[in-house]
Amino acid sequence: MERAKKSSAEPIVNAMSVDVEDYFHVSVFDGIVPRTEWDAMESRVCTNTERLLDIFDEYSVRSTFFVLGWVGEKYPALVTKIAARGHEVASHGYAHRLVYDQTPAAFRDDVRRAKALLEEASGRPVVGYRAPSYSITPRSLWALDVLIEEGYQYDSSIFPIRHDRYGIPVSDRQPYRIDRNGGSLIEVPGSTTRLGPMNLPVAGGGYFRILPYKWTHWGIRRVNEQEGRPAVFYLHPWEIDPDQPRLHAGRLGRFRHYRNLDSTEQWLRQLLSDFRFQPMQALVNDARLAFAQDSRFALSLPYSW
Ligand SMILES: [Zn+2]
């Protein structure tokens, strides 16, 4: 109770993040829309991202945009605009390939190419990375070494949950520092809440769209008030676009992608008025300061690779 009172007096500022990709880039449509056909698809990413920029302006929110390199290459003016309107540009890799499906050399090319393209278009250093479908798992931890070597300073790809395609359930739920021979990296996981023995995602993506808004509201409040920590929220530009062309994935894929698209903008507006948000970079800076002052916060992953 003491803690809850303190938090309501000084509202915690959470992190807002957007994975900038088109509706046909999503992993669930891999194999349905081959990469060779991406260029020929109707693109809606610029319109949807600009709509998000306008909504964020209305609520005076600054966000991090993890932009897919392919999008940044095709629409550099979009990246320039994101940066010019005061947001952080970070990297979602180049070609939206799952990390654990790539060789370390191919992954290095992918993240290097995306970083260079996005830095050129934004005119700023790009230091954050988020993997397609959170695909840094026990099978692809080598990717963290590559990210450090390629000049990335933080990563937001390790989800501490059980999921059919991603997640490391035993990994820490709060930001932590990963020290390797080549340097160190701050890992900033997407937010979860602890319920019994389980970590349940509470801040974004399908969980925001498919479950009622009150789930996200309850979860973020719980992270803020019980743990006294900021939450990390994420969404995609296609999630506020109910008119996007329908693609034919399997039943589960269709449910995950199309459910409640027509309500998401309204829920996002509710979220932006209920909580405060800032870019990921601000959380990373706070985490770095905390780690410098108290080494207990500098956790290692509970396994080696
Ligand atoms: Zn993605």
Side-chain angles (χ1 to χ4, degrees):
M1 277 311 279
E2 200 56 37
R3 212 169 188 175
K5 272 185 199 159
K6 195 181 168 202
S7 322
S8 60
E10 301 163 26
I12 286 180
V13 187
N14 302 290
M16 176 56 66
S17 65
V18 180
D19 294 356
V20 181
E21 62 196 29
D22 233 318
Y23 60 98
F24 54 83
H25 291 132
V26 179
S27 301
V28 75
F29 300 129
D30 263 358
I32 293 168
V33 184
R35 282 172 180 73
T36 48
E37 287 179 22
W38 281 3
D39 264 324
M41 297 292 290
E42 176 196 345
S43 176
R44 303 171 72 91
V45 68
C46 291
T47 312
N48 292 333
T49 304
E50 285 174 18
R51 190 174 176 79
L52 279 176
L53 289 172
D54 290 342
I55 295 171
F56 287 157
D57 272 356
E58 270 183 59
Y59 294 86
S60 302
V61 165
R62 295 291 166 267
S63 173
T64 292
F65 288 76
F66 291 94
V67 183
L68 192 64
W70 188 91
V71 170
E73 186 175 52
K74 199 164 179 186
Y75 308 108
L78 179 67
V79 180
T80 310
K81 194 177 283 183
I82 292 169
R85 288 174 69 165
H87 302 278
E88 178 192 3
V89 173
S91 162
H92 195 37
Y94 179 80
H96 215 268
R97 292 184 199 280
L98 299 175
V99 177
Y100 48 71
D101 285 349
Q102 299 182 72
T103 63
F107 176 73
R108 185 184 299 279
D109 286 349
D110 181 277
V111 296
R112 182 182 288 178
R113 188 175 178 188
K115 191 173 192 287
L117 281 164
L118 298 171
E119 287 183 340
E120 194 181 334
S122 67
R124 307 219 183 119
V126 165
V127 297
Y129 174 76
R130 178 176 288 152
S133 299
Y134 294 98
S135 53
I136 297 186
T137 69
R139 284 197 279 159
S140 50
L141 289 169
W142 46 261
L144 297 167
D145 287 325
V146 175
L147 290 172
I148 291 168
E149 287 159 17
E150 292 301 318
Y152 287 94
Q153 294 173 13
Y154 76 90
D155 173 64
S156 181
S157 309
I158 300 180
F159 229 117
I161 58 162
R162 265 177 222 292
H163 185 278
D164 55 350
R165 279 184 284 122
Y166 57 81
I168 304 181
V170 294
S171 58
D172 207 86
R173 296 175 47 243
Q174 308 302 340
Y176 51 96
R177 193 176 74 206
I178 297 170
D179 292 328
R180 302 290 299 160
N181 287 339
S184 64
L185 188 76
I186 306 286
E187 177 64 36
V188 188
S191 283
T192 53
T193 192
R194 192 96 182 132
L195 220 55
M198 306 242 287
N199 296 335
L200 299 176
V202 290
Y207 304 93
F208 178 55
R209 237 177 336 105
I210 293 165
L211 300 175
Y213 170 69
K214 63 184 178 189
W215 167 259
T216 301
H217 187 268
W218 174 80
I220 294 180
R221 272 193 67 173
R222 203 161 190 249
V223 171
N224 288 173
E225 295 184 358
Q226 286 195 1
E227 301 181 34
R229 289 181 179 272
V232 175
F233 185 85
Y234 74 99
L235 82 162
H236 305 86
W238 54 262
E239 290 185 284
I240 57 159
D241 180 10
D243 301 324
Q244 65 190 270
R246 295 301 192 259
L247 300 169
H248 300 286
R251 191 187 298 184
L252 178 62
R254 284 203 311 272
F255 175 78
R256 280 179 179 166
H257 191 89
Y258 296 122
R259 181 87 176 157
N260 293 335
L261 287 175
D262 48 0
S263 309
T264 308
E265 179 177 334
Q266 180 196 331
W267 293 347
L268 175 64
R269 288 174 178 278
Q270 188 65 51
L271 180 81
L272 296 175
S273 50
D274 289 347
F275 297 98
R276 296 175 64 199
F277 292 95
Q278 62 188 344
M280 300 281 291
Q281 183 72 64
L283 245 72
V284 172
N285 291 342
D286 287 352
R288 250 203 218 103
L289 266 177
F291 298 157
Q293 285 161 8
D294 189 338
S295 60
R296 282 176 305 169
F297 289 111
L299 299 174
S300 302
L301 290 172
Y303 31 75
S304 54
W305 67 92

